[in-house]
Amino acid sequence: MDFSIASILALDGVTNGAVYALLALATVLVFAVTRVIFIPQGEYVAFGALTLALLQQGQVPGTVWFLLVLAGCAAVAEVIEGLQHHQRPARIARRVLGLTAYPVAIALFVAWAAPQKWPLLAQAALTLALVTPFGTLLYRVAYQSLADASVLVLLIVSVGVHFALTGLGLLFFGAEGFRNPSFWDERFNLGPLTFSGQTLIIMLASVALIVALWLFFERSLYGKALRATAVNRLGARLMGISSESAGQLTFTLAAFIGALSGLLIGPTTTVFYDSGFLIGLKGFVAAVFGGLASYPMALLGAIGVGLLESFGSFWASAFKEVIVFGAIVPVLLWRSLRDPHAEEH
Amino acid sequence: MKPIKTLLATAAMLLAAAPALADINIGVSLALTGPGSGLGIPMQNQFKLFPKTIAGEKVNLIILDDATDPGKGATNARRFVSEDKVDLIIGSCITAVAAAMAPVAGEAKTVQMAASPVGLPPGQDGWVFRLPQSNDVMAHAMFGHMKKLGIKTVGFLGYTDAYGELWLKAATAEADKAGIKIVATERFARTDTSVTAQALKLGAANPDAMLIVASGSGAAMPHKAVVERGFKGRIYQTHAAASMDLMRVGGKDVEGAFVVSGPATVGDILPDNHPSKAVSKAFLTQYEKAYGANTANQFAGHAYDAQIILEKAVPMALKKAKPGTPEFRAALKEAFETMGRTVLAHGILNWTADNHWGYTMETGVMLQVKNADWVLAN
């Protein structure tokens, strides 16, 4: 290995790491606010990339139908819960409307807009608008009524949601993969390195999103409310912060980040309906570096995972996955030695 | 009155549900979900066009999903032999799943037509017949073509799974025979998002040609990575990549790629003297009439071939025994082994008692990508 090979590998590692960083941030965010270990985070990546791919072909993406089905489930859950709590019909109807109005509207809009073959950027915006509401609805359907359950129960639900989403992904997108067109086709040469426009976009988008998240948490009222919930759920609730809306907002943010990652990664590789899982899992490994609590550590972890992956595949490509996931063992050891704690039951 | 009615209705339903003894029952286990579903779904499509009767006997197909999971495949096989009392098992399209089903088929003395090139230890494949070509047959055509072009060194970039492993074995053997050296071997997983590192390392070995072992739309990503790292030599792909998905995902980067293929999906561009030309065209016409242009692939072809084989072997077996009996199952096995040279969409098959692979070396066809379509490579 010489310097040029090392630099190419490093660039490749950091590019992938930037995407893992986004997913790691989303994982940390969701865990901190709701205590859900959100395994299906990667599924949003596949949904984002494949929705854009189908829009590119002028087809109505399966995500449209999926969103309508999910909105229906959420409405049913809302009605049942309202009746159980003997709420007034007008109140139930208002809540159902508040939950489903946007998803149904955007689904119908995309179904109308899909055959028009809009320019790439407009379709990317459509994709984000379509995949983001999945967060709210998934939280409502799968997690909201279990908000006070133990971490273990929430993890089991996450595994179930993951399998359901992958199966439905196969139904709606088909078994074959897609590759999206690049957002920026330019190439720059810098010594032995070739930067593609897409690489730059991935890095810039990741940095921009991280800064935006930081501003959101530091400066906005919603962000502060989420932080308060993350620190102490009960205390936040006593202060009048609804843990329900905190959960929904968090999941919506996570869905947005996932879909954005999908748009970023779509032009650099072939995305299949089940590709998201492994990408999300690497984001999760990065999040574990930060103890599922620290954003900067998760960010470092993500870059580390990306570099480990690219150098690992250079030295021993057949064992790459083993190297990446094996790296979690020393981290877990270090974390459990540093802050030991009793098992939660 | 009412209980009697219910009882009668239940009895009638049970009678209707139980397969009549005289019918030929075929258990089909395919990967309809999971990572192998890209292979299983086209096969299922073709099985939907399967004839309702063969040689005057009614044919019942029982299609189950094995979810690309060997355990599930073995369960399906067990259900076929113990509950459905099938005369024949078809599947799976995934090597590992088919291998898990093989012991069940052998135990129940029921013929299994595997839709994947499953390798079994000698003596354990007594009841297993393979529909696909062995990788040896395909590697033979590929390395023959390399030799003709004067290629001396080859880099190997393949899946880390059984498909990659079997190809590496076949390629090493055929390369030796052709006097070609495999100078570098790199692996990747289907779910990988980047193979830049492997492409770098292969590029450093500077081979004359690159062999990429991957399937379906997954074959385009490694191909693009190799091209993007500035590799200028020839690039070869295996028969699992021989579908239009390669061009759909790979775009202009896969132009000029050499792909080995069974003749089934090639149809019109086969040379006129190729024995499979007519069958291949018949298969393509039937499949694409039902599912649209350019949708047929390798695996749908295997399902079509199963039909041709059964139409030849079932009348032979019927002379000896009635369907639904152990005698019939044994007769079917014997018919497979003695039916001789059979022209399929996928080439010339000649199963014998001690060879359940059976494709002749004339099967593999070398194609090249030109203007996002296939042409015959020369």
Side-chain angles (χ1 to χ4, degrees):
Chain A
M1 172 180 295
D2 54 22
F3 175 73
S4 68
I5 288 181
S7 56
I8 294 172
L9 287 180
L11 178 67
D12 191 51
V14 173
T15 312
N16 277 330
V19 174
Y20 299 151
L22 290 184
L23 298 173
L25 291 187
T27 307
V28 171
L29 174 68
V30 169
F31 182 76
V33 178
T34 63
R35 296 176 308 121
V36 173
I37 295 175
F38 195 53
I39 312 255
Q41 181 63 40
E43 253 66 75
Y44 293 136
V45 177
F47 279 21
L50 293 174
T51 300
L52 181 61
L54 289 179
L55 283 175
Q56 276 285 307
Q57 301 197 329
Q59 297 175 18
V60 178
T63 353
V64 167
W65 314 120
F66 195 3
L67 192 65
L68 290 176
V69 170
L70 208 58
C73 295
V76 170
E78 197 65 51
V79 168
I80 291 176
E81 206 181 272
L83 291 178
Q84 275 170 351
H85 292 144
H86 303 291
Q87 288 172 352
R88 278 181 294 111
R91 186 181 146 91
I92 299 176
R94 210 166 49 237
R95 287 180 66 117
V96 167
L97 201 65
L99 202 59
T100 57
Y102 173 72
V104 171
I106 191 71
L108 293 177
F109 180 70
V110 172
W112 168 79
Q116 326 259 346
K117 291 211 172 188
W118 285 355
L120 183 59
L121 278 180
Q123 290 183 340
L126 269 187
T127 304
L128 286 177
L130 188 64
V131 179
T132 306
F134 274 98
T136 326
L137 296 176
L138 265 185
Y139 179 74
R140 179 65 195 88
V141 171
Y143 295 100
Q144 187 168 303
S145 52
L146 291 166
D148 293 315
S150 71
V151 173
L152 184 61
V153 169
L154 293 171
L155 175 64
I156 292 168
V157 173
S158 284
V159 173
V161 171
H162 156 67
F163 280 118
L165 290 185
T166 329
L168 289 165
L170 173 65
L171 182 65
F172 287 119
F173 299 114
E176 286 300 343
F178 291 89
R179 194 177 179 122
N180 291 333
S182 201
F183 287 102
W184 192 18
D185 255 333
E186 204 68 49
R187 287 184 175 279
F188 311 92
N189 288 311
L190 195 88
L193 287 179
T194 313
F195 278 94
S196 68
Q198 189 65 29
T199 312
L200 284 182
I201 290 180
I202 290 179
M203 290 178 182
L204 288 179
S206 296
V207 172
L209 198 73
I210 289 164
V211 171
L213 278 179
W214 177 76
L215 282 177
F216 174 73
F217 283 116
E218 292 294 322
R219 299 291 156 87
S220 78
L221 193 62
Y222 279 111
K224 285 176 180 164
L226 285 192
R227 270 172 62 205
T229 315
V231 173
N232 186 335
R233 289 166 57 77
L234 187 64
R237 212 184 300 173
L238 290 174
M239 290 296 115
I241 297 171
S242 154
S243 53
E244 264 178 25
S245 47
Q248 289 190 354
L249 183 59
T250 313
F251 269 70
T252 309
L253 272 177
F256 175 80
I257 295 173
L260 185 70
S261 314
L263 295 185
L264 292 177
I265 212 166
T268 65
T269 185
T270 313
V271 179
F272 295 83
Y273 74 98
D274 60 349
S275 292
F277 178 61
L278 220 56
I279 303 173
L281 207 56
K282 282 169 188 157
F284 177 73
V285 169
V288 169
F289 276 75
L292 285 176
S294 155
Y295 295 101
M297 285 292 281
L299 190 66
L300 281 180
I303 303 293
V305 169
L307 288 175
L308 198 62
E309 193 184 4
S310 84
F311 282 87
S313 24
F314 187 81
W315 293 119
S317 57
F319 299 104
K320 187 197 75 178
E321 252 31 307
V322 183
I323 296 171
V324 170
F325 292 114
I328 204 171
V329 174
V331 175
L332 288 177
L333 265 178
W334 166 66
R335 291 215 73 91
S336 64
L337 289 176
R338 210 182 63 140
D339 35 31
H341 62 282
E343 191 71 37
E344 182 188 3
H345 291 289
Chain B
M1 188 65 198
K2 216 174 174 198
I4 297 173
K5 247 185 181 169
T6 322
L7 206 70
L8 278 177
T10 319
M13 262 172 63
L14 277 176
L15 276 178
L21 248 185
D23 297 353
I24 300 174
N25 294 306
I26 302 176
V28 185
S29 175
L30 297 173
L32 301 178
T33 55
S37 48
L39 315 178
I41 291 170
M43 278 194 83
Q44 189 195 30
N45 287 343
Q46 177 62 38
F47 277 124
K48 284 182 187 154
L49 310 173
F50 212 72
K52 297 281 170 279
T53 59
I54 289 179
E57 300 285 333
K58 193 164 171 289
V59 176
N60 299 320
L61 285 181
I62 307 151
I63 302 182
L64 296 183
D65 175 20
D66 59 43
T68 325
D69 173 3
K72 195 88 193 299
T75 314
N76 286 350
R78 191 139 325 264
R79 188 200 128 161
F80 288 148
V81 297
S82 62
E83 281 181 43
D84 302 321
K85 306 267 188 279
V86 297
D87 300 298
L88 169 75
I89 297 172
I90 300 181
S92 169
C93 49
I94 305 299
T95 307
V97 184
M101 293 167 67
V104 184
E107 200 180 291
K109 302 213 182 309
T110 305
V111 174
Q112 176 190 5
M113 278 166 130
S116 50
V118 50
L120 293 165
Q124 289 187 19
D125 68 344
W127 292 85
V128 180
F129 294 80
R130 288 94 171 169
L131 287 170
Q133 300 87 351
S134 67
N135 289 334
D136 306 331
V137 170
M138 288 308 195
H140 178 81
M142 185 186 277
F143 281 84
H145 184 257
M146 288 185 188
K147 197 175 169 188
K148 209 171 74 184
L149 294 184
I151 287 166
K152 293 270 171 279
T153 51
V154 175
F156 179 98
L157 177 57
Y159 278 169
T160 43
D161 63 6
Y163 185 66
E165 207 56 49
L166 287 171
W167 253 99
L168 184 57
K169 225 190 225 164
T172 316
E174 283 295 329
D176 271 352
K177 280 187 219 157
I180 294 170
K181 254 184 85 140
I182 296 181
V183 288
T185 307
E186 290 296 318
R187 313 300 288 272
F188 69 102
R190 196 188 75 107
T191 43
D192 281 0
T193 48
S194 158
V195 292
T196 306
Q198 290 94 321
L200 268 175
K201 208 162 174 196
L202 285 169
N206 201 19
D208 296 337
M210 211 72 95
L211 165 57
I212 294 172
V213 179
S215 65
S217 41
M221 194 263 291
H223 197 119
K224 278 180 95 98
V226 167
V227 172
E228 274 164 17
R229 292 266 69 87
F231 182 71
K232 294 276 181 279
R234 295 187 169 85
I235 303 179
Y236 285 80
Q237 294 261 9
T238 65
H239 51 308
S243 72
M244 297 307 277
D245 289 314
L246 182 67
M247 282 82 119
R248 178 174 62 79
V249 180
K252 60 181 187 300
D253 282 345
V254 299
E255 278 293 312
F258 293 104
V259 183
V260 69
S261 168
T265 52
V266 183
D268 271 337
I269 64 170
L270 277 175
D272 282 329
N273 59 1
H274 198 288
S276 290
K277 182 157 186 170
V279 193
S280 159
K281 276 169 79 171
F283 154 64
L284 288 176
T285 317
Q286 188 196 28
Y287 191 92
E288 301 195 338
K289 199 177 138 218
Y291 301 107
N294 290 330
T295 49
N297 78 352
Q298 178 97 10
F299 281 81
H302 292 317
Y304 188 81
D305 286 347
Q307 171 187 340
I308 299 180
I309 294 168
L310 287 179
E311 275 167 351
K312 189 166 179 185
V314 167
M316 294 168 71
L318 278 175
K319 286 189 192 128
K320 298 207 173 119
K322 282 259 159 282
T325 59
E327 292 76 27
F328 182 74
R329 295 197 284 270
L332 205 54
K333 175 178 190 267
E334 201 191 316
F336 280 177
E337 286 168 350
T338 55
M339 66 183 181
R341 199 176 146 91
T342 309
V343 179
L344 303 179
H346 264 298
I348 312 295
L349 186 79
N350 195 356
W351 282 331
T352 59
D354 42 49
N355 184 358
H356 288 180
W357 289 97
Y359 276 98
T360 55
M361 285 294 187
E362 59 200 310
T363 297
V365 184
M366 283 307 299
L367 303 177
Q368 193 176 15
V369 181
K370 275 251 170 73
N371 301 321
D373 205 352
W374 301 115
V375 297
L376 215 55
N378 43 27

